[in-house]
Amino acid sequence: MRNETEPAADRSARRVTIDPEGPVLIDGPVEVRMPDGTTARSDRFMVALCTCRRSRRYPWCDTSHRRRTRGED
Ligand code: FES
């Protein structure tokens, strides 16, 4: 079992793309260490990490950042 505080053996660079109005996109697979100590894992080719905290599937983006407020078109 790998120590969760040690870097992964694979040292190749991951590409991270920041969407200023949405998620952070990361080449998958990824593991996300949550504040409660659990680990969320996604094996997708491209993973969208929520940065707005509105996602019902946090830490994964569910496009809730696109939600419009009343009066907007
Ligand atoms: S960034 Fe998309 S739901 Fe939060």
Side-chain angles (χ1 to χ4, degrees):
M1 178 183 232
R2 184 171 66 85
N3 182 333
E4 295 293 331
T5 60
E6 293 178 7
D10 178 5
R11 301 289 298 152
S12 59
R14 300 242 183 233
R15 178 164 295 172
V16 177
T17 305
I18 298 171
D19 179 340
E21 297 180 12
V24 170
L25 304 173
I26 305 172
D27 289 352
V30 298
E31 289 182 349
V32 178
R33 176 81 107 171
M34 302 301 290
D36 66 0
T38 61
T39 301
R41 180 181 172 93
S42 175
D43 292 318
R44 290 184 173 202
F45 178 75
M46 179 64 69
V47 179
L49 272 185
C50 176
T51 57
C52 74
R53 298 255 180 175
R54 286 187 235 150
S55 174
R56 291 184 183 147
R57 298 179 53 240
Y58 190 83
W60 318 122
C61 172
D62 69 356
T63 71
S64 293
H65 62 271
R66 297 181 187 158
R67 209 179 316 143
R68 295 181 180 188
T69 59
R70 271 190 175 163
E72 286 185 340
D73 274 330

